[in-house]
Structure formats: structure tokens, C-alpha cells
Amino acid sequence: MSGLPSRTEPAEPTEPVGLEHVRTVADAVLYEGYLLYPYRASSHKNQSRWQFGVLGPPSTSPGSFGEEPGMAVQCLLTSPGDTPAAVTVHLRFLQLQVREVWRRDEGGSHTAVGALSVDGVSVLSWDEAVEREVVLSTVPLAEPSDHLYTIPGGEDTEPLSDTRGTPLGRIVRRREPLTVRIRTRATVDGGFVRLSVTVDNEHAGTAVGKDAAIRASLIGSHLILQAHGVRFVSLLDPPTEAAPAAARCRQHRCWPVLAGAKGTAHTLLGAPIILYDHPEVAEQSAGALFDSTEIDEILTLRVITMTEEEKAEARATDPRAREIIDRCEGMSSADLQQLHGLLRDPHAPTSPPGPEATAASDLRDAEPAPFDTGGAPWWDPASDAMVSPASDAVVIDGVRVAKGSLVRVHPSRRADAQDLFFAGQVARVTAVLSDVDGATHVALVLVDDPAADLHDWYGRYFYFAPDELEPLPVEGPPDP
């Protein structure tokens, strides 16, 4: 690669890079959609569980609904200068494992069944998954790389017997072999290094049917990249000098964000869902629920309302489902209250932690320091008598805009699909508001909307930023 030095052994990292913290977040990505509430094998939701990061086989029959076979990510790194640089690539995914229950018949033969009772406990047929990880250690940035890996298939048998030792049947687990290719390539871009990593499922043969396609897929696929001798650059908030190069990075079914402790830039997570830099699992989450876009409190309360029959089936569905049911049943009232999350004062001053900070951190999170607002919480409008949306104003292009002002709308944030229809419309200001972060928002109703008075009466307004509005004379709107 032009502009980068070449060497056989890449440099050691400039600082220790631990993946323990990153794997906690990556595991949440890996198992998104693995189990869908109500967690029973018979649930209709669980008939189509695999939702994120699925790299399907490249060849499928019509109607197989196979996913695309590849994903690709581009990220930026600082220039290594004369320092040899490299990356370590971790590809993590799930390999589907079919679990079949077979009943032992008279004469010793076996018949596949959907369920089998062993000492009063149901054992069900189900599709499980096995964690897989492919690691490319310290790949030099100075030259492209191309690696092909085979993940072996297999078949395992587990006998089933009752407490007296009588053979009742067996569990047969089967896995299809997988083949995956990982390529890396780095180029110089504006004083930075743009790294491209592509991952492709190269399963041989044609998958016939939906079940065959998912069994030949890489599920929950994502990347963890570690930099050696260089640092990653945030694509969400790049420094000014890196912004043009960051804008030229292209992503395909994979989104890169900085990972690990805040302030570090040696680890990057490429996920099939869009995250923010340095993502973290909520500290209030007692454990994984494996449900897409999970909301712990809602799902926990719903699990508690399941019937005993439903809970028994969920426990028999999967060991992870059993863990969820047991954890939810064992929660105390205090544990449930903790799932509400925390409401912290965003305006509270921060100071460097003292010697007691580490020991008191849990207490500080559990009981945030009070905010002196005369008895009202910070989020209550009564906490600040100076705030009056009905009379507050904002200056736009040198013009004071307040309740009753007329403005022309020029949406630029594209926060809503309706913005396309609001462009150029004249609106009447109903209030000027500020949020807890100090940003200003202007509430509007459209002048030409026949239901404007009704929206105003109900308090249903459209909200725009001041820089999206053009002040108009108060006498009346100009002709279109």
C-alpha cells in the first residue's frame, strides 16, 4: 500500500487493549433476536427469530428468503507515520444448531418427535446456536489480506434416561459446515488511513428452502477491530481535519463505532445495528433478555404474568429461556423498581472523583444528589419560574420571534417524513421552549391547515429549530 511502511511483525499496541468490556456490548448484539418473547418454542414470533447480522449463503432456491451473503465496513485510523501499524480482526457470529428429540421405541429403534417427557420435564426440539469467533491476528496495514476459513459442521448425540436409568430417547444436534472469507485493504485518504474490511459467506452449493438457508448462514455477524500502532477516528464525531475522509467511508450492513472505555480509540465495533460511540449496556439491566430492541422492565413484567404452563414450556425451550424465567421470578420489588432507570440532573456540576468515589459509586447512582429548585425536581417547569413558553422569545435573523409570530418553514433536519410537505409553508408560532440540554425549539401550527385551531386547542404542535425558520411580517403571510 502506497504511503505505509511494510514489515513482517507489526508493532505492539501503544496501550493494553482489553476486550472484556467490549464483548459485553458485542454479546448483546450477537444475541439480539435469539429469543423473542414469550420465549416459548410454540410462539409465532419464535418461528422467525434470526433478525440481525445474517449473512446468508450466496446461492439459494426461489422462496428460500436467504439474506445477502456479505457485509463490509470502512473506518478511519490515524496515520502511522514511520511506525509499523496493524489491526487484529475478530469476526463473531452464531452457527445454527438443530436440536432434535428422538423417542426410543420398543426394539431399540428411535423416532423423531417434537417433545419428550423425562421425569415430568419436557424436552423439546428446537433450533439452538453456537458462538463462533474467527480471529485474524495483527494484520499489517501495509498490504491487503485475504483469508478463507471453514467452520466445521457436526453431529452430537445426548442420551435421555429417567432417574431409574431407563433409556427414553436421545437428543441429536446437527450443524452445517460454514465457509467465510475475510478481506482487509487500507488506503491513504487525506492524511488518514481508510481501512476496508469485507466479510462474505462462501457456502458451497445451493440452499433449498428457508430452513436450509438459515442453517447455512452466519447469524448475528459483527466485527471487533483492535488497532496496533495507530488509533481509530470517530466517524460519528470526527475532528475537523478528518471530516472529509470520514464522509467518504462507505458501510454495507455494518456500522463502525468506537468501543471500550470512553476516551480510548484502540478498539472499534462494527455492528449490524447503528450504535453510538462507546456503547454500554445499561447498568440497571439485570441480565440479557435476548429480545430485539428489548426494554427490560416491560419484558420482565410480561414474563411474570405468564401462566405456569407457559413458563414450563419456555424453560424447556432453551437454557437461556430458562435463565430468563428463573431470574424474572426471583426478582424482588426493589429489583423491579431498579428497572425504571435513573433520572439524573443534566445541569449538575461535575468534579473529579475523590478517594471515596469508587466505593460510593453505586450509592451515588442509586440515590442521585438532590437538585436545589425550591422543592421541585429539575424536570418540572415549576423548578424555574423564569421559563414561560407562552411569552419567551428567540431572535432569528435579527427578528424577535415569539407566540403569534409568523414564520416560513425551511426544514433541514429531516427529522420527520412530513418535513417534505412543510417546506415553504407559513406557520404561526404558539410557543418557544427550551429542553434540559439548553436547545431551543419553536412550536408551530400551519396557517393553511384547516385544523390549525383544533391542533392549537389540543396542544398538538410541530416543533422546529430556530435555524429552520424565516421570520415574516406580522401583518400577514405573503402570497405564495
Side-chain angles (χ1 to χ4, degrees):
M1 178 180 96
S2 175
L4 290 180
S6 164
R7 63 173 284 176
T8 304
E9 294 296 332
E12 291 298 317
T14 57
E15 66 179 49
V17 181
L19 289 183
E20 206 171 305
H21 180 78
V22 178
R23 286 184 187 277
T24 302
V25 177
D27 284 346
V29 174
L30 183 66
Y31 282 100
E32 275 293 295
Y34 177 76
L35 286 169
L36 301 176
Y37 176 82
Y39 304 136
R40 294 173 287 115
S42 60
S43 168
H44 290 294
K45 289 177 67 178
N46 278 315
Q47 308 314 305
S48 298
R49 298 153 51 200
W50 319 107
Q51 300 184 26
F52 298 106
V54 178
L55 305 185
S59 178
T60 59
S61 64
S64 296
F65 303 102
E67 297 272 5
E68 285 187 52
M71 68 179 187
V73 64
Q74 289 187 338
C75 55
L76 279 187
L77 299 106
T78 56
S79 175
D82 295 330
T83 303
V87 292
T88 293
V89 179
H90 300 257
L91 171 64
R92 307 175 78 233
F93 57 92
L94 297 176
Q95 179 183 23
L96 189 141
Q97 178 171 263
V98 178
R99 184 183 76 201
E100 292 182 341
V101 177
W102 293 68
R103 183 188 63 232
R104 189 176 190 275
D105 301 323
E106 293 183 10
S109 60
H110 287 79
T111 302
V113 292
L116 187 64
S117 179
V118 180
D119 293 324
V121 177
S122 293
V123 181
L124 305 179
S125 295
W126 175 253
D127 283 348
E128 303 172 327
V130 181
E131 290 185 26
R132 300 299 186 197
E133 181 168 352
V134 175
V135 181
L136 278 64
S137 297
T138 53
V139 179
L141 294 181
E143 53 192 40
S145 69
D146 188 331
H147 300 270
L148 187 67
Y149 291 90
T150 298
I151 293 83
E155 179 177 313
D156 304 319
T157 301
E158 175 187 346
L160 292 174
S161 303
D162 60 18
T163 54
R164 296 173 295 180
T166 304
L168 299 179
R170 62 190 181 191
I171 298 175
V172 178
R173 293 179 170 89
R174 294 190 179 93
R175 300 170 299 281
E176 293 292 325
L178 303 175
T179 303
V180 58
R181 185 180 297 276
I182 306 173
R183 299 183 180 94
T184 67
R185 183 173 181 271
T187 57
V188 176
D189 187 343
F192 296 86
V193 176
R194 183 171 67 247
L195 172 66
S196 301
V197 182
T198 61
V199 180
D200 291 290
N201 181 349
E202 297 198 356
H203 179 77
T206 299
V208 179
K210 181 180 178 181
D211 290 341
I214 194 63
R215 291 169 187 172
S217 299
L218 283 67
I219 301 168
S221 307
H222 61 277
L223 294 163
I224 298 177
L225 307 180
Q226 294 175 282
H228 308 292
V230 285
R231 294 166 62 89
F232 289 105
V233 176
S234 171
L235 297 186
L236 294 178
D237 187 21
T240 303
E241 63 273 15
R248 287 188 284 270
C249 290
R250 297 292 178 262
Q251 319 303 336
H252 179 60
R253 306 181 71 205
C254 191
W255 182 253
V257 295
L258 299 180
K262 290 184 178 180
T264 64
H266 285 79
T267 308
L268 183 138
L269 173 63
I273 56 178
I274 295 178
L275 299 170
Y276 46 87
D277 281 337
H278 304 290
E280 295 182 355
V281 174
E283 60 190 276
Q284 293 81 21
S285 180
L289 291 166
F290 304 117
D291 202 338
S292 303
T293 60
E294 63 188 45
I295 302 175
D296 288 31
E297 183 176 17
I298 293 176
L299 293 180
T300 299
L301 293 174
R302 292 293 291 119
V303 168
I304 293 175
T305 63
M306 293 169 67
T307 66
E308 293 304 316
E309 291 77 13
E310 290 172 331
K311 291 177 182 177
E313 184 186 345
R315 286 187 172 98
T317 295
D318 189 276
R320 290 182 174 87
R322 183 186 309 117
E323 178 186 337
I324 291 172
I325 304 300
D326 293 344
R327 184 176 68 246
C328 291
E329 281 195 328
M331 277 189 166
S332 65
S333 298
D335 293 333
L336 290 172
Q337 184 69 26
Q338 181 73 1
L339 293 181
H340 288 335
L342 301 177
L343 193 59
R344 296 184 175 90
D345 169 26
H347 306 299
T350 58
S351 58
E356 74 287 351
T358 301
S361 60
D362 290 341
L363 291 176
R364 184 174 62 249
D365 285 344
E367 300 178 10
F371 185 46
D372 186 10
T373 56
W378 63 267
W379 43 264
D380 192 325
S383 67
D384 189 353
M386 300 293 291
V387 175
S388 177
S391 60
D392 285 347
V394 61
V395 176
I396 304 176
D397 295 335
V399 178
R400 183 179 184 274
V401 173
K403 182 178 180 179
S405 298
L406 294 177
V407 295
R408 190 179 297 278
V409 183
H410 301 287
S412 61
R413 309 296 173 85
R414 292 293 186 264
D416 193 296
Q418 296 183 85
D419 285 358
L420 297 173
F421 304 103
F422 294 160
Q425 294 287 326
V426 175
R428 176 170 51 84
V429 176
T430 60
V432 176
L433 308 99
S434 297
D435 60 26
V436 296
D437 295 320
T440 300
H441 307 271
V442 182
L444 310 171
V445 291
L446 298 181
V447 170
D448 291 338
D449 186 349
D453 291 340
L454 187 62
H455 290 320
D456 199 4
W457 188 82
Y458 274 108
R460 295 174 178 170
Y461 306 126
F462 301 109
Y463 296 87
F464 290 88
D467 60 10
E468 297 179 291
L469 305 176
E470 172 193 353
L472 298 175
V474 179
E475 301 84 72
D479 292 333

